[in-house]
Amino acid sequence: MTKTDRDAGPYAGDHQDKASPYEGSAGGWGSVRALTDIFARTGAATAAATVLPRQNKTGGVACVSCAWAKPADSHTFEFCENGAKATAWEGTSHKIDAGFFADHSVAALRRWSDHQLENKGRLVEPMAWDPESDRYRPIPWEQAFAEIGAHLGRLEPDSVIFYTSGRASLEASYMYQLMARIYGTNNLPDSSNMCHESTSVGLKETIGLGVGSVRLEDFRQTHAIFFFGQNVGSNSPRMLHELQAASERGVPIVTFNPLRERGLELFRNPQRPTQMLGAESTPVSSHYHQLRLGGDIAAVTGLCKALLQRHDVRAGDGSATPVLDTDFIERHTSGFEAFAHYLRDTKWPDIERHSGLTRAALEDAALIYEKADSVLLVYGMGLTQHVGGVDNVRMLVNLALMRGNIGKAGAGICPVRGHSNVQGQRSVGITEKPELAPLDRLEQLYEFQAPRQKGRDTVGVCEGVIDGSVRGFVGLGGNFVRAAPDTQALEAAWPALDLTVHITTTLNRSHLFPGKASYLLPCLGRTEIDEQRNVPQAVSIEDSTSCVHGSRGRKAPADQRLMSEVAIIAHIALAVGRLSHAKVPWLEWTQDYARVRDAIEATYPQRFSRFNDRLWEPGGFPLTNGPRERIWHTDSGRAQFTVPANLTALRPESLDEEGVMQLMTLRSNDQFNTTIYGYEDRFRGVSGTRQVVFMNRADMERLGLAEGDSVALRTAADDGAERRVGELKVVPYDIPEGCCAAYYPECNVLLPVWHHAHASRVPAGKSIPVRVVQQAGAL
Ligand SMILES: Nc1nc2c(c(=O)[nH]1)N[C@H]1C(S)=C(S)[C@@H](COP(=O)(O)OP(=O)(O)OC[C@H]3O[C@@H](n4cnc5c(=O)[nH]c(N)nc54)[C@H](O)[C@@H]3O)O[C@H]1N2
Ligand SMILES: Nc1nc2c(c(=O)[nH]1)N[C@H]1C(S)=C(S)[C@@H](COP(=O)(O)OP(=O)(O)OC[C@H]3O[C@@H](n4cnc5c(=O)[nH]c(N)nc54)[C@H](O)[C@@H]3O)O[C@H]1N2
Ligand SMILES: [Mo]
């Protein structure tokens, strides 16, 4: 048996584990070695040769990994280690055939790890679950569609969920939301509900648009970059090119992160021979502030307070250049007085306590901010996945507004999105919030009555599956059961569903909790040639900077039996009798995806004007963005200052409980969400296992723990549920006292459904209150 075939169990890692600090930089030879390894393991040489040279280039394939912008003037290789891994994973030569499912019952497969399941390769034919034998069996496409159509016909529309993971194209996503709405529900949760929903809520309310205001060119013009809770080296490595260039121009990069992340410290550019051969690498952050977990509201309050204090002093001196951009504040914002009042009222000792940073450090950072004519504020999950996630985002807006750092060159707010088209899906109507969808327009175009009641978000789906009110689940990609909170409760409740349908490329754990009727519908990946009636089709995606790119698959499909996502959605829609009254040309759309883009343009005439003509614009074509032009579509018509509810983004009552630590769930450099490529977290020096918990040495000492000890974590909650993850090896780490870190998705077992951000309801995966339990006999 090979190392990866070993039946290690769903929550276990692999053997040969070791942990030691990583002294290298991000990028460099480490990343080249990691790639050679994964291409060998997956047998994806063809994918490497056909796809990678065209990845993220005009006319080529938009990477299936992260959503970072794709420049017009691309590098020779416009991909990173992780983008190449994602391509290799999709381009694997391994396939799962019917024989595999005949050999393994679903119950048996539940003992496999995430890595083992996906590592088996691509699903190639539609499968239906047979309850008697507990096995998936092949089923002809037409029969699968007919059966799914019949099941959907029997279910109450509002009891069915249409989930989307952020990879599906604009074309597939548009058709999917339309199908759900004609069917009769706004139950359209997406991965964004677990991710940047705090952004969508926080930015919409304060600057009038739920996405960032920054474009790639701003990185070339900026005078300072402030970086909060985003791990660029692992999660959006192509962005390191912009950071490297900025760093070399002497632009300060000021980072706030409880962990010292390698990719935020040093970068060795694999595309620069001098860096690859020499010892040279570029420092990324010029200043690194290791703040307390959940300490950003306090830290940014400190920055703003320092700015205001200096402003007041200068005003008192009669000095000519004010610290704040008073003209901008007057003309473009509202709520400044209340915010200034809040800043004056908030005391430095409280700021220091909650941020874990000194007043002096915050004043220094404020000075850098003040001296820069334009500043970019970049952030990720370290802000959004907290109970106070929306307040975190609002605080960054406050900071930006104080010096007019939105809507001018080199400035703006930059949420770094996750999945490659997660931002775009919202732009074409994937949302559970009816007020954000163009319902009137859809009704006009397709002659049906759109549902008006609010749909379920991710947390709402979990609640509904657990209480039995959700009866059916259709997933366009993703691994919902694994990515969502409260794994055990969800896994226990899931099989009671009447229908589960997964449109997917590989086998994952969500597929192993079949509803009473359950189907796996295997689809083409974006890197593959998608021919309809012998004509190759293109799809499109929107990146983190609101630019839309065409994407054309380059590699022969993994199997001739695969259907495209667009075709699968059309066939499901056609199979549900209830949808037939609406006037939708489902089949025509399937034959020519340009017609879907016409329909998107007809739905959003301004946003997507001349969509097909602009599909291949180098660098992508930008969608309209109000805040970039200082147009604020908010209630007041102005950008809004806001006052946070608390100084901490954590659940305040869990802070002072004796023995409670705050757990942040993290990604390694060797995974894409629940897809675990391997067990090497090179940057954090962990190898061969994911069963670890990173802890501060002082906490270890207090708990009487030594390096390598085995512990369990238990959620500190008194709701009667026992949530526990065991056999975690203690790794001493440079992490602030009182908090610890472990990997997602293994630790989602510990995350209660109700522990989520206010307003956005993003599961608060960055601050789970836990207790450390020693495991008897395991030391
Ligand atoms: N290789 C790879 N790339 C990916 C993904 C992947 O899994 N693998 N996932 C994709 C997806 S869907 C997403 S959403 C993005 C996620 O990318 P990120 O936004 O980088 O998310 P995380 O890896 O969860 O890490 C968040 C960072 O926040 C820090 N942090 C935690 N708590 C706090 C806090 O309270 N304050 C501050 N300031 N920082 C904090 C952590 O130390 C960590 O460095 O990446 C995308 N790209
Ligand atoms: N505790 C904790 N929980 C978290 C997070 C965290 O940081 N901590 N992060 C959250 C975040 S940011 C996100 S975005 C979610 C991710 O949640 P999801 O988006 O649901 O999960 P993924 O792991 O990205 O989905 C991977 C699966 O997508 C399928 N897939 C891959 N490519 C394709 C394709 O081209 N088409 C189709 N149809 N299917 C495909 C494969 O089956 C693969 O197994 O998880 C969230 N959960
Ligand atoms: Mo995400």
Side-chain angles (χ1 to χ4, degrees):
M1 215 186 279
T2 66
K3 177 176 164 187
T4 46
D5 274 346
R6 209 163 46 88
D7 216 4
Y11 305 118
D14 241 326
H15 61 324
Q16 293 178 336
D17 43 309
K18 72 173 174 52
S20 52
Y22 183 65
E23 307 293 350
S25 43
W29 288 113
S31 85
V32 174
R33 266 193 300 274
L35 283 187
T36 322
D37 179 50
I38 194 164
F39 278 104
R41 278 192 286 132
T42 53
T46 327
T50 53
V51 178
L52 288 180
R54 297 183 181 89
Q55 194 148 307
N56 295 324
K57 295 196 181 153
T58 311
V61 183
C63 182
V64 295
S65 189
C66 85
W68 186 239
K70 293 124 186 74
D73 47 343
S74 47
H75 304 89
T76 319
F77 298 111
E78 190 56 47
F79 59 85
C80 67
E81 172 182 344
N82 286 306
K85 276 185 189 169
T87 298
W89 204 248
E90 188 164 293
T92 177
S93 57
H94 306 301
K95 299 184 194 184
I96 303 191
D97 56 15
F100 172 83
F101 285 109
D103 288 347
H104 302 280
S105 71
V106 166
L109 288 171
R110 276 188 219 129
R111 290 194 293 274
W112 289 37
S113 68
D114 298 305
H115 171 78
Q116 289 170 314
L117 290 171
E118 283 211 42
N119 198 44
K120 275 288 156 198
R122 294 283 297 273
L123 291 163
V124 288
E125 58 185 324
M127 311 293 290
W129 180 61
D130 168 35
E132 256 168 52
S133 60
D134 187 31
R135 278 166 168 77
Y136 276 108
R137 298 198 183 287
I139 179 173
W141 277 110
E142 283 316 313
Q143 190 185 339
F145 291 134
E147 290 184 15
I148 293 167
H151 286 297
L152 285 172
R154 282 192 290 271
L155 289 168
E156 176 56 39
D158 258 336
S159 74
V160 181
I161 307 300
F162 293 88
Y163 172 69
T164 324
S165 168
R167 190 179 288 199
S169 64
L170 292 171
E171 291 78 0
S173 304
Y174 177 80
M175 289 169 64
Y176 195 68
Q177 60 84 32
L178 183 61
M179 168 171 78
R181 294 201 161 102
I182 301 174
Y183 178 63
T185 182
N186 283 312
N187 285 340
L188 285 156
D190 68 344
S191 53
S192 172
N193 289 150
M194 302 180 242
C195 182
H196 268 291
E197 192 68 44
S198 302
T199 296
S200 310
V201 172
L203 293 188
K204 175 91 184 75
E205 194 181 274
T206 52
I207 59 171
L209 186 69
V211 302
S213 69
V214 166
R215 298 258 168 78
L216 218 40
E217 61 262 30
D218 291 310
F219 279 83
R220 295 165 194 171
Q221 296 163 331
T222 192
H223 294 92
I225 302 175
F226 277 58
F227 225 93
F228 296 83
Q230 204 272 337
N231 187 12
V232 58
S234 287
N235 297 335
S236 51
R238 285 184 301 109
M239 187 191 216
L240 285 169
H241 292 293
E242 274 80 50
L243 299 183
Q244 183 176 38
S247 163
E248 286 170 353
R249 279 197 350 257
V251 169
I253 301 180
V254 184
T255 294
F256 294 82
N257 198 309
L259 296 186
R260 293 197 77 89
E261 301 279 29
R262 206 71 288 228
L264 285 161
E265 295 187 308
L266 286 177
F267 175 46
R268 187 173 291 187
N269 191 339
Q271 307 199 10
R272 283 201 197 164
T274 49
Q275 291 210 330
M276 290 300 276
L277 295 174
E280 174 203 348
S281 41
T282 311
V284 180
S285 303
S286 54
H287 302 75
Y288 210 111
H289 298 284
Q290 242 179 313
L291 83 177
R292 247 186 109 163
L293 191 71
D296 303 83
I297 297 174
V300 179
T301 298
L303 296 178
C304 293
K305 187 176 172 77
L307 289 171
L308 182 65
Q309 281 181 336
R310 286 177 51 82
H311 180 80
D312 288 347
V313 170
R314 288 265 195 106
D317 291 351
S319 165
T321 42
V323 172
L324 303 186
D325 187 341
T326 45
D327 183 48
F328 174 86
I329 292 173
E330 227 161 82
R331 286 175 45 199
H332 287 285
T333 71
S334 80
F336 179 70
E337 278 314 310
F339 182 63
H341 199 260
Y342 156 78
L343 293 178
R344 292 191 174 102
D345 269 4
T346 310
K347 304 282 175 278
W348 278 110
D350 292 329
I351 292 173
E352 289 187 321
R353 185 163 59 88
H354 284 288
S355 67
L357 301 175
T358 61
R359 174 176 179 173
L362 289 167
E363 284 176 341
D364 281 354
L367 203 56
I368 296 173
Y369 186 84
E370 179 193 327
K371 296 290 170 220
D373 288 341
S374 58
V375 182
L376 294 175
L377 300 174
V378 182
Y379 70 94
M381 297 299 99
L383 293 200
T384 62
Q385 293 178 333
H386 276 299
V387 171
V390 177
D391 269 349
N392 271 333
V393 173
R394 291 181 184 135
M395 270 316 286
L396 282 202
V397 171
N398 289 332
L399 177 59
L401 296 182
M402 287 188 94
R403 284 186 43 83
N405 271 318
I406 298 191
K408 70 180 178 194
I413 191 142
C414 182
V416 184
R417 299 277 167 166
H419 272 295
S420 49
N421 191 36
V422 66
Q423 184 164 322
Q425 295 181 335
R426 277 291 154 85
S427 302
V428 296
I430 298 278
T431 170
E432 76 286 355
K433 298 182 177 106
E435 66 276 15
L436 298 182
L439 298 183
D440 295 340
R441 188 75 188 132
L442 293 175
E443 287 181 337
Q444 263 174 11
L445 287 169
Y446 305 109
E447 301 180 24
F448 74 107
Q449 260 205 324
R452 299 281 158 167
Q453 68 280 29
K454 192 176 175 333
R456 286 181 187 267
D457 57 13
T458 288
V459 165
V461 175
C462 297
E463 290 165 346
V465 170
I466 291 168
D467 73 21
S469 51
V470 167
R471 304 305 318 151
F473 180 94
V474 184
L476 177 57
N479 188 359
F480 186 91
V481 181
R482 200 75 178 121
D486 253 335
T487 314
Q488 272 165 325
L490 215 52
E491 289 185 352
W494 208 265
L497 295 181
D498 293 313
L499 175 69
T500 52
V501 178
H502 295 282
I503 302 167
T504 180
T505 48
T506 49
L507 183 64
N508 67 40
R509 192 160 173 86
S510 295
H511 310 151
L512 305 180
F513 295 87
K516 289 173 197 151
S518 183
Y519 302 86
L520 303 182
L521 306 179
C523 64
L524 290 170
R526 197 191 297 148
T527 58
E528 291 169 318
I529 298 167
D530 178 357
E531 280 194 354
Q532 302 293 338
R533 293 183 156 185
N534 299 322
V535 181
Q537 303 293 319
V539 294
S540 52
I541 59 108
E542 176 187 336
D543 68 28
S544 256
T545 62
S546 307
C547 290
V548 174
H549 307 258
S551 173
R552 207 185 275 291
R554 295 288 169 168
K555 185 194 155 290
D559 194 277
Q560 288 310 317
R561 288 165 287 183
L562 295 174
M563 283 179 76
S564 72
E565 291 177 332
V566 163
I568 292 173
I569 296 162
H571 280 87
I572 296 178
L574 287 166
V576 190
R578 196 183 288 161
L579 270 69
S580 60
H581 65 285
K583 304 263 177 308
V584 185
W586 296 109
L587 278 187
E588 270 171 50
W589 282 353
T590 303
Q591 288 155 7
D592 181 1
Y593 298 179
R595 301 287 77 80
V596 189
R597 289 187 285 277
D598 287 340
I600 295 175
E601 182 176 342
T603 311
Y604 302 93
Q606 281 178 332
R607 188 181 290 172
F608 284 99
S609 109
R610 296 177 39 245
F611 191 176
N612 276 305
D613 295 342
R614 297 196 291 168
L615 189 62
W616 304 108
E617 254 176 45
F621 74 83
L623 298 181
T624 44
N625 189 304
R628 273 188 82 75
E629 322 288 324
R630 297 195 166 172
I631 298 167
W632 320 100
H633 296 290
T634 55
D635 290 346
S636 62
R638 288 159 165 262
Q640 193 67 42
F641 278 99
T642 51
V643 173
N646 281 298
L647 260 189
T648 172
L650 308 180
R651 197 174 282 281
E653 56 276 19
S654 69
L655 278 183
D656 304 318
E657 274 181 69
E658 184 72 25
V660 171
M661 297 186 80
Q662 303 288 335
L663 169 74
M664 63 164 117
T665 51
L666 287 180
R667 301 166 153 74
S668 82
N669 153 70
D670 213 8
Q671 75 184 89
F672 191 91
N673 297 339
T674 69
T675 297
I676 311 299
Y677 302 127
Y679 294 87
E680 304 296 315
D681 193 354
R682 202 169 71 245
F683 300 154
R684 300 200 186 99
V686 176
S687 173
T689 182
R690 294 172 54 84
Q691 292 294 114
V692 296
V693 54
F694 300 96
M695 285 175 102
N696 182 294
R697 282 200 185 272
D699 286 321
M700 286 171 57
E701 208 161 293
R702 185 172 50 78
L703 293 163
L705 294 170
E707 176 168 357
D709 281 356
S710 186
V711 296
L713 296 178
R714 261 185 43 225
T715 306
D718 47 13
D719 62 352
E722 166 77 4
R723 301 179 184 83
R724 186 175 191 279
V725 172
E727 289 172 44
L728 296 169
K729 278 222 159 83
V730 176
V731 176
Y733 208 73
D734 189 357
I735 183 172
E737 267 181 69
C739 65
C740 56
Y743 291 119
Y744 141 69
E746 288 83 350
C747 284
N748 286 35
V749 175
L750 299 168
L751 179 53
V753 168
W754 46 259
H755 184 61
H756 54 67
H758 301 304
S760 68
R761 307 206 335 146
V762 171
K766 292 290 180 273
S767 52
I768 311 175
V770 293
R771 289 179 195 283
V772 181
V773 187
Q774 304 237 15
Q775 285 184 311
L779 297 182

